[in-house]
Amino acid sequence: MQQGSRTQAARAAYEYGNQKQAYEAGAVPKKKRERSFYDLSLVVIIIVLTVFGLVMIYSASSYTAQLNDDLNNNSAYFMQRQGGIALGGFIFMLIISKMDYHWLYRLAVPSYILSHILMVIVTLVGREVNGKKRWLDIGPIGFQPSEFAKIALIIMLAAVITKLGGKINQWAVMGKVFLLAVAIGAIVAANNLSTGIILVGIGFVMLFVACKVKWPFFLAGGGALGILMTAGPLGKFLLNIHVLKPYQYNRIEAWLNPELDPEGKSFQILQGLYAIGSGGLMGQGLGESIQKLGFLPESQNDMIFAIICEELGLFGAIAVIMLFLLMIYRFVMIANDAPDLFGALLVVGVMAHIAIQVILNIAVVTNTIPNTGITLPFISYGGTSVLFLMVEMGIVLSVSNQIRAAV
């Protein structure tokens, strides 16, 4: 009798619209609510990599910075500058992550065109550093347009592939889409070969994911390995027909025979290998690197992985690689659960950028491939690089924020 009264009361409450009392009385099952999914684990990985990078930048650059009068003998100059830009970029990342990423679709064509314009401008009137025009100064602010080109290409390819739909599997259409990456990659490669390779690689990976037919991509990958195996004679041929510049061919020679010119073109790579070899299993200890004391050029930039190996050993090197692998795993999970194809392709493009750049940097430092002058994401010194990386992370987090999870 008491149970029947309770049921009647519950039904009455439900009929009169008091659903809270009805739920408590057990008359109506609770409906699952949906909430936005925000990948906090990816945020933690970004913070860990960035903070670790600041520590290693200070360790690798403090000696040379302290001796530099132009930097006011400030041993923490590089770390402070990187830290300020990273903090600003992190805040910008959080703002972007809370925006709907679909607004990027409308910016695809304008940003892609702008990237071409900026690359032409920097080629003509850019600031020359170490013999290469990579920097464009706008008032007191200087940046590398090639970093913007990476984001512009990712957005453009994601938008185009999404619009084409199933047509992307047609050979002619696939080739035309890939030309979008080749076009900007060729312009960038004129002053920055490594970034040109990354841009083409981004297009390659995004098309590989989007297309059903995979064998042409495996064939192209085998061709790339063949080019690497014949780099010596091929490089000589390209030098003779003025496709490669002398300094680029010197890097190939230094890669093939580093011991032939230890005081010249092979100096940097040999010093990097000395740093890696002296690190052993557990390293010399944080801050105890010898090679950073003026022996290893660009120790806080392209060659910072060698300092990591020297100070933290094989253990530290594997830990850094595992962090990047964990980051890529989170990209895969977000892309797999993305609300639509456009969001998934945006994440795939960012994943391709990070993965290719990490592989190239570590391969260069270990002399697995010729020196291409590429930084290690989040860890190497470079304000433009870390700023645009944070923008990319904001885009990925924006896609994750649109994933709906039942609670």
Side-chain angles (χ1 to χ4, degrees), residues 186-252:
I187 298 174
V188 172
N191 281 311
N192 194 338
L193 179 61
S194 56
T195 303
I197 294 172
I198 291 174
L199 288 166
V200 174
I202 289 171
F204 183 89
V205 173
M206 292 182 72
L207 279 171
F208 175 80
V209 172
C211 297
K212 291 182 179 179
V213 181
K214 306 297 184 185
W215 68 263
F217 297 95
F218 291 114
L219 186 63
L225 289 176
I227 291 174
L228 192 63
M229 293 173 64
T230 59
L234 181 61
K236 188 68 174 178
F237 171 74
L238 294 176
L239 177 67
N240 291 335
I241 62 174
H242 306 291
V243 173
L244 282 183
K245 297 177 181 178
Y247 79 88
Q248 292 172 330
Y249 179 69
N250 287 340
R251 289 179 175 180
I252 295 176

Coordinates of all heavy atoms in Angstrom, one line a residue, residues 186-252:
A186 N 57.6 24.4 -52.5 CA 58.6 24.8 -53.4 C 59.1 26.2 -53.1 O 60.3 26.5 -53.2 CB 58.2 24.7 -54.9
I187 N 58.2 27.1 -52.9 CA 58.5 28.5 -52.6 C 59.3 28.6 -51.3 O 60.3 29.3 -51.2 CB 57.3 29.4 -52.5 CG1 56.5 29.4 -53.8 CG2 57.6 30.8 -52.1 CD1 55.2 30.1 -53.8
V188 N 58.9 27.8 -50.3 CA 59.6 27.9 -49.0 C 60.9 27.2 -49.1 O 61.9 27.7 -48.5 CB 58.7 27.1 -47.9 CG1 59.5 26.9 -46.6 CG2 57.4 27.9 -47.6
A189 N 61.0 26.1 -49.9 CA 62.3 25.4 -50.0 C 63.4 26.3 -50.6 O 64.6 26.0 -50.4 CB 62.1 24.2 -50.8
A190 N 63.1 27.3 -51.3 CA 64.1 28.2 -51.8 C 65.0 28.8 -50.8 O 66.2 28.9 -51.0 CB 63.5 29.3 -52.6
N191 N 64.5 29.1 -49.6 CA 65.3 29.6 -48.5 C 65.3 28.7 -47.3 O 66.1 28.9 -46.4 CB 64.8 31.0 -48.0 CG 65.2 32.1 -49.0 OD1 66.4 32.2 -49.3 ND2 64.2 32.9 -49.4
N192 N 64.5 27.7 -47.3 CA 64.4 26.8 -46.1 C 63.9 25.4 -46.5 O 62.8 25.1 -46.5 CB 63.3 27.4 -45.1 CG 63.4 26.8 -43.7 OD1 63.9 25.6 -43.6 ND2 62.9 27.5 -42.7
L193 N 64.9 24.6 -46.9 CA 64.6 23.3 -47.5 C 63.9 22.4 -46.6 O 63.0 21.7 -46.9 CB 66.0 22.6 -48.0 CG 65.8 21.2 -48.6 CD1 65.0 21.3 -49.8 CD2 67.2 20.7 -48.9
S194 N 64.3 22.4 -45.3 CA 63.7 21.5 -44.3 C 62.2 21.8 -44.1 O 61.4 20.9 -44.1 CB 64.4 21.6 -43.0 OG 64.4 23.0 -42.5
T195 N 61.8 23.1 -44.1 CA 60.4 23.4 -43.9 C 59.7 23.1 -45.2 O 58.5 22.6 -45.1 CB 60.3 24.9 -43.6 OG1 61.0 25.2 -42.4 CG2 58.8 25.3 -43.4
G196 N 60.3 23.2 -46.3 CA 59.7 22.8 -47.6 C 59.4 21.3 -47.6 O 58.3 20.9 -48.0
I197 N 60.3 20.5 -47.1 CA 60.1 19.1 -47.0 C 58.9 18.8 -46.0 O 58.1 17.9 -46.3 CB 61.4 18.4 -46.5 CG1 62.5 18.5 -47.5 CG2 61.1 16.9 -46.1 CD1 63.8 18.0 -47.1
I198 N 58.8 19.5 -44.9 CA 57.8 19.3 -43.9 C 56.4 19.6 -44.6 O 55.4 18.9 -44.4 CB 58.0 20.2 -42.7 CG1 59.2 19.6 -41.9 CG2 56.7 20.2 -41.8 CD1 59.6 20.5 -40.7
L199 N 56.3 20.7 -45.3 CA 55.1 21.1 -46.0 C 54.6 20.0 -47.0 O 53.4 19.6 -47.0 CB 55.2 22.4 -46.7 CG 55.4 23.6 -45.8 CD1 55.8 24.9 -46.6 CD2 54.0 24.0 -45.1
V200 N 55.5 19.5 -47.8 CA 55.1 18.4 -48.7 C 54.7 17.2 -47.9 O 53.8 16.5 -48.2 CB 56.3 18.1 -49.6 CG1 56.0 16.9 -50.5 CG2 56.6 19.3 -50.5
G201 N 55.5 16.9 -46.8 CA 55.1 15.7 -45.9 C 53.7 15.9 -45.3 O 53.0 14.9 -45.2
I202 N 53.4 17.1 -44.9 CA 52.0 17.3 -44.4 C 50.9 16.9 -45.4 O 50.0 16.2 -45.1 CB 51.8 18.7 -43.9 CG1 52.7 19.0 -42.6 CG2 50.4 19.1 -43.6 CD1 52.8 20.5 -42.2
G203 N 51.1 17.4 -46.6 CA 50.2 17.1 -47.7 C 50.1 15.6 -48.0 O 49.1 15.0 -48.2
F204 N 51.3 14.9 -47.9 CA 51.4 13.5 -48.2 C 50.6 12.7 -47.1 O 49.8 11.8 -47.4 CB 52.9 13.1 -48.1 CG 53.1 11.6 -48.4 CD1 53.3 11.2 -49.7 CD2 53.1 10.7 -47.4 CE1 53.5 9.8 -50.0 CE2 53.4 9.3 -47.7 CZ 53.5 8.9 -49.0
V205 N 50.8 13.0 -45.8 CA 50.1 12.3 -44.8 C 48.6 12.6 -44.8 O 47.8 11.6 -44.6 CB 50.7 12.7 -43.4 CG1 49.9 12.1 -42.3 CG2 52.1 12.3 -43.3
M206 N 48.2 13.8 -45.0 CA 46.7 14.1 -45.0 C 46.0 13.4 -46.2 O 44.9 12.9 -46.0 CB 46.5 15.6 -45.1 CG 47.0 16.4 -43.9 SD 46.7 18.2 -43.9 CE 44.9 18.2 -43.8
L207 N 46.7 13.3 -47.3 CA 46.1 12.6 -48.4 C 46.1 11.1 -48.2 O 45.1 10.4 -48.5 CB 46.8 12.9 -49.7 CG 46.5 14.2 -50.4 CD1 47.4 14.5 -51.6 CD2 45.0 14.2 -50.9
F208 N 47.1 10.6 -47.5 CA 47.2 9.2 -47.2 C 46.0 8.8 -46.3 O 45.4 7.7 -46.5 CB 48.5 8.9 -46.5 CG 48.6 7.5 -46.0 CD1 49.0 6.4 -46.8 CD2 48.4 7.2 -44.6 CE1 49.1 5.1 -46.4 CE2 48.5 5.9 -44.2 CZ 48.8 4.8 -45.1
V209 N 45.7 9.6 -45.3 CA 44.6 9.3 -44.4 C 43.3 9.4 -45.1 O 42.3 8.6 -44.9 CB 44.6 10.3 -43.2 CG1 43.4 10.1 -42.3 CG2 45.9 10.0 -42.4
A210 N 43.1 10.4 -46.0 CA 41.8 10.7 -46.7 C 41.5 9.7 -47.8 O 40.3 9.5 -48.1 CB 41.8 12.1 -47.2
C211 N 42.5 9.2 -48.5 CA 42.3 8.3 -49.7 C 42.1 6.9 -49.3 O 42.8 6.4 -48.4 CB 43.4 8.5 -50.7 SG 43.5 10.2 -51.3
K212 N 41.3 6.2 -50.0 CA 41.1 4.8 -49.8 C 42.2 3.9 -50.4 O 42.6 2.9 -49.8 CB 39.8 4.3 -50.5 CG 38.5 4.8 -49.8 CD 37.3 4.3 -50.4 CE 36.0 4.8 -49.7 NZ 34.8 4.3 -50.4
V213 N 42.7 4.3 -51.5 CA 43.8 3.6 -52.2 C 45.2 4.0 -51.5 O 45.5 5.2 -51.5 CB 43.9 3.9 -53.7 CG1 45.0 3.1 -54.3 CG2 42.5 3.6 -54.3
K214 N 45.9 3.0 -51.0 CA 47.1 3.3 -50.2 C 48.4 3.0 -50.9 O 49.4 3.6 -50.6 CB 47.1 2.5 -48.9 CG 45.8 2.8 -48.0 CD 45.7 4.2 -47.6 CE 44.5 4.4 -46.6 NZ 44.3 5.8 -46.2
W215 N 48.3 2.1 -51.9 CA 49.6 1.6 -52.5 C 50.4 2.7 -53.2 O 51.7 2.6 -53.1 CB 49.3 0.5 -53.5 CG 48.6 0.8 -54.8 CD1 47.3 0.7 -55.0 CD2 49.2 1.4 -56.0 NE1 47.0 1.1 -56.3 CE2 48.1 1.5 -56.9 CE3 50.5 1.7 -56.3 CZ2 48.3 2.0 -58.2 CZ3 50.7 2.2 -57.6 CH2 49.6 2.4 -58.5
P216 N 49.9 3.8 -53.8 CA 50.7 4.8 -54.3 C 51.6 5.5 -53.3 O 52.7 5.9 -53.5 CB 49.7 5.8 -55.0 CG 48.5 5.0 -55.2 CD 48.4 4.0 -54.1
F217 N 51.0 5.6 -52.1 CA 51.8 6.3 -51.0 C 52.9 5.4 -50.5 O 54.0 5.9 -50.2 CB 50.8 6.6 -49.8 CG 49.7 7.6 -50.2 CD1 48.5 7.1 -50.6 CD2 49.9 8.9 -50.2 CE1 47.4 7.9 -51.0 CE2 48.9 9.8 -50.6 CZ 47.7 9.3 -51.0
F218 N 52.7 4.1 -50.4 CA 53.8 3.2 -50.0 C 54.9 3.2 -51.1 O 56.1 3.2 -50.8 CB 53.2 1.8 -49.8 CG 52.4 1.7 -48.6 CD1 51.0 1.3 -48.7 CD2 52.9 1.8 -47.3 CE1 50.2 1.2 -47.6 CE2 52.1 1.7 -46.2 CZ 50.8 1.4 -46.3
L219 N 54.4 3.3 -52.4 CA 55.4 3.3 -53.5 C 56.2 4.6 -53.4 O 57.5 4.6 -53.6 CB 54.6 3.3 -54.8 CG 55.5 3.2 -56.1 CD1 56.3 1.9 -56.1 CD2 54.6 3.2 -57.3
A220 N 55.5 5.7 -53.1 CA 56.3 7.0 -53.0 C 57.2 7.0 -51.8 O 58.3 7.5 -51.9 CB 55.3 8.2 -52.8
G221 N 56.8 6.4 -50.7 CA 57.7 6.2 -49.5 C 58.9 5.4 -49.9 O 60.1 5.8 -49.5
G222 N 58.8 4.3 -50.6 CA 59.9 3.5 -51.1 C 60.8 4.3 -52.0 O 62.1 4.2 -51.9
G223 N 60.2 5.2 -52.8 CA 61.0 6.1 -53.7 C 61.9 7.1 -52.9 O 63.0 7.3 -53.2
A224 N 61.3 7.6 -51.8 CA 62.0 8.5 -51.0 C 63.2 7.8 -50.3 O 64.3 8.4 -50.2 CB 61.1 9.1 -49.9
L225 N 63.0 6.6 -49.9 CA 64.1 5.8 -49.3 C 65.2 5.6 -50.4 O 66.4 5.6 -50.1 CB 63.7 4.5 -48.7 CG 62.8 4.6 -47.5 CD1 62.3 3.2 -47.1 CD2 63.6 5.2 -46.3
G226 N 64.8 5.3 -51.6 CA 65.7 5.2 -52.7 C 66.6 6.4 -53.0 O 67.8 6.3 -53.2
I227 N 65.9 7.6 -52.9 CA 66.6 8.8 -53.1 C 67.6 9.0 -52.0 O 68.8 9.5 -52.2 CB 65.6 10.0 -53.1 CG1 64.8 9.9 -54.3 CG2 66.3 11.3 -53.0 CD1 63.6 11.0 -54.4
L228 N 67.3 8.7 -50.7 CA 68.2 8.8 -49.6 C 69.4 7.9 -49.8 O 70.5 8.3 -49.5 CB 67.4 8.5 -48.3 CG 68.1 8.8 -47.0 CD1 68.4 10.3 -46.9 CD2 67.4 8.3 -45.8
M229 N 69.2 6.7 -50.3 CA 70.3 5.7 -50.5 C 71.2 6.2 -51.6 O 72.4 5.8 -51.6 CB 69.7 4.4 -50.8 CG 68.9 3.7 -49.6 SD 68.1 2.2 -50.1 CE 69.5 1.1 -50.5
T230 N 70.7 7.0 -52.6 CA 71.6 7.4 -53.7 C 71.8 8.9 -53.5 O 72.1 9.6 -54.5 CB 70.9 7.1 -55.0 OG1 69.6 7.8 -55.0 CG2 70.7 5.6 -55.2
A231 N 71.8 9.4 -52.3 CA 71.9 10.9 -52.1 C 73.3 11.4 -52.6 O 73.3 12.6 -53.1 CB 71.8 11.2 -50.6
G232 N 74.3 10.7 -52.5 CA 75.6 11.1 -52.9 C 75.7 11.5 -54.4 O 75.8 12.7 -54.8
P233 N 75.5 10.5 -55.3 CA 75.6 10.8 -56.7 C 74.4 11.7 -57.2 O 74.6 12.6 -58.1 CB 75.5 9.4 -57.4 CG 75.0 8.5 -56.4 CD 75.4 9.1 -55.1
L234 N 73.2 11.5 -56.6 CA 72.1 12.4 -57.0 C 72.3 13.8 -56.6 O 72.0 14.8 -57.3 CB 70.8 11.9 -56.3 CG 69.5 12.6 -56.6 CD1 69.2 12.5 -58.1 CD2 68.4 12.1 -55.8
G235 N 72.9 14.0 -55.4 CA 73.3 15.4 -54.9 C 74.3 16.1 -55.9 O 74.2 17.3 -56.2
K236 N 75.3 15.3 -56.3 CA 76.3 15.8 -57.2 C 75.6 16.3 -58.5 O 75.9 17.3 -59.1 CB 77.3 14.8 -57.5 CG 78.5 15.3 -58.3 CD 79.4 16.3 -57.5 CE 80.6 16.6 -58.2 NZ 81.4 17.7 -57.5
F237 N 74.7 15.4 -59.0 CA 74.0 15.7 -60.3 C 73.2 17.0 -60.1 O 73.2 17.9 -61.0 CB 73.1 14.6 -60.7 CG 72.2 14.9 -61.8 CD1 72.7 15.0 -63.1 CD2 70.8 15.1 -61.6 CE1 71.8 15.3 -64.2 CE2 70.0 15.3 -62.7 CZ 70.5 15.4 -64.0
L238 N 72.4 17.1 -59.0 CA 71.6 18.3 -58.8 C 72.4 19.6 -58.6 O 72.0 20.7 -58.9 CB 70.7 18.1 -57.6 CG 69.6 17.0 -57.7 CD1 68.9 16.8 -56.4 CD2 68.7 17.3 -58.8
L239 N 73.6 19.4 -58.0 CA 74.5 20.5 -57.9 C 75.0 21.0 -59.2 O 75.1 22.2 -59.5 CB 75.7 20.1 -57.0 CG 76.8 21.2 -56.8 CD1 76.3 22.4 -56.0 CD2 78.0 20.6 -56.1
N240 N 75.3 20.1 -60.1 CA 75.8 20.4 -61.4 C 74.8 21.2 -62.3 O 75.1 22.0 -63.1 CB 76.3 19.2 -62.2 CG 77.6 18.6 -61.5 OD1 78.3 19.3 -60.9 ND2 77.8 17.3 -61.7
I241 N 73.5 20.8 -62.1 CA 72.5 21.5 -62.9 C 71.9 22.7 -62.1 O 70.8 23.2 -62.4 CB 71.4 20.5 -63.3 CG1 70.7 19.9 -62.0 CG2 71.9 19.4 -64.2 CD1 69.5 19.1 -62.4
H242 N 72.5 23.1 -61.0 CA 72.2 24.2 -60.2 C 70.8 24.2 -59.5 O 70.2 25.2 -59.2 CB 72.2 25.5 -61.0 CG 73.5 25.7 -61.8 ND1 74.7 26.0 -61.1 CD2 73.9 25.6 -63.1 CE1 75.7 26.1 -62.0 NE2 75.2 25.8 -63.2
V243 N 70.4 23.0 -59.2 CA 69.2 22.8 -58.4 C 69.5 22.9 -56.9 O 68.8 23.6 -56.1 CB 68.5 21.4 -58.7 CG1 67.3 21.2 -57.7 CG2 68.0 21.4 -60.1
L244 N 70.6 22.2 -56.5 CA 71.1 22.4 -55.1 C 72.2 23.4 -55.1 O 73.0 23.6 -56.0 CB 71.8 21.0 -54.7 CG 70.8 19.9 -54.2 CD1 71.6 18.7 -53.7 CD2 69.9 20.4 -53.2
K245 N 72.2 24.1 -53.9 CA 73.3 25.1 -53.7 C 74.5 24.4 -53.1 O 74.4 23.4 -52.5 CB 72.7 26.2 -52.8 CG 71.6 27.0 -53.4 CD 71.0 28.0 -52.4 CE 69.8 28.8 -53.0 NZ 69.2 29.7 -52.1
P246 N 75.7 25.0 -53.2 CA 76.9 24.4 -52.7 C 76.8 24.0 -51.2 O 77.3 22.9 -50.8 CB 78.0 25.4 -53.0 CG 77.5 26.2 -54.2 CD 76.0 26.2 -54.0
Y247 N 76.3 24.9 -50.4 CA 76.2 24.6 -49.0 C 75.3 23.4 -48.7 O 75.5 22.7 -47.7 CB 75.7 25.8 -48.2 CG 74.2 26.1 -48.2 CD1 73.4 25.5 -47.2 CD2 73.7 27.0 -49.1 CE1 72.0 25.8 -47.3 CE2 72.3 27.2 -49.2 CZ 71.5 26.7 -48.2 OH 70.2 26.9 -48.2
Q248 N 74.2 23.2 -49.5 CA 73.4 22.1 -49.4 C 74.1 20.8 -49.7 O 73.9 19.7 -49.1 CB 72.1 22.3 -50.2 CG 71.2 23.4 -49.7 CD 70.1 23.7 -50.7 OE1 70.2 23.5 -51.9 NE2 68.9 24.2 -50.2
Y249 N 74.9 20.8 -50.8 CA 75.6 19.6 -51.2 C 76.7 19.3 -50.2 O 77.0 18.1 -49.9 CB 76.2 19.8 -52.6 CG 77.1 18.6 -53.0 CD1 76.4 17.4 -53.3 CD2 78.4 18.6 -53.1 CE1 77.2 16.3 -53.7 CE2 79.2 17.5 -53.4 CZ 78.5 16.3 -53.7 OH 79.3 15.2 -54.1
N250 N 77.3 20.3 -49.5 CA 78.3 20.1 -48.5 C 77.7 19.3 -47.3 O 78.3 18.5 -46.7 CB 78.8 21.4 -48.0 CG 79.8 22.1 -49.0 OD1 80.3 21.4 -49.9 ND2 80.0 23.4 -48.9
R251 N 76.4 19.6 -47.0 CA 75.7 18.8 -46.0 C 75.6 17.4 -46.3 O 75.7 16.5 -45.4 CB 74.3 19.4 -45.7 CG 74.4 20.8 -45.0 CD 73.0 21.4 -44.8 NE 73.0 22.6 -44.1 CZ 71.9 23.3 -43.8 NH1 70.7 22.9 -44.2 NH2 72.0 24.5 -43.1
I252 N 75.4 17.1 -47.6 CA 75.3 15.7 -48.0 C 76.6 15.0 -47.8 O 76.7 13.9 -47.3 CB 74.8 15.6 -49.4 CG1 73.3 16.1 -49.5 CG2 74.8 14.1 -49.9 CD1 72.8 16.1 -51.0

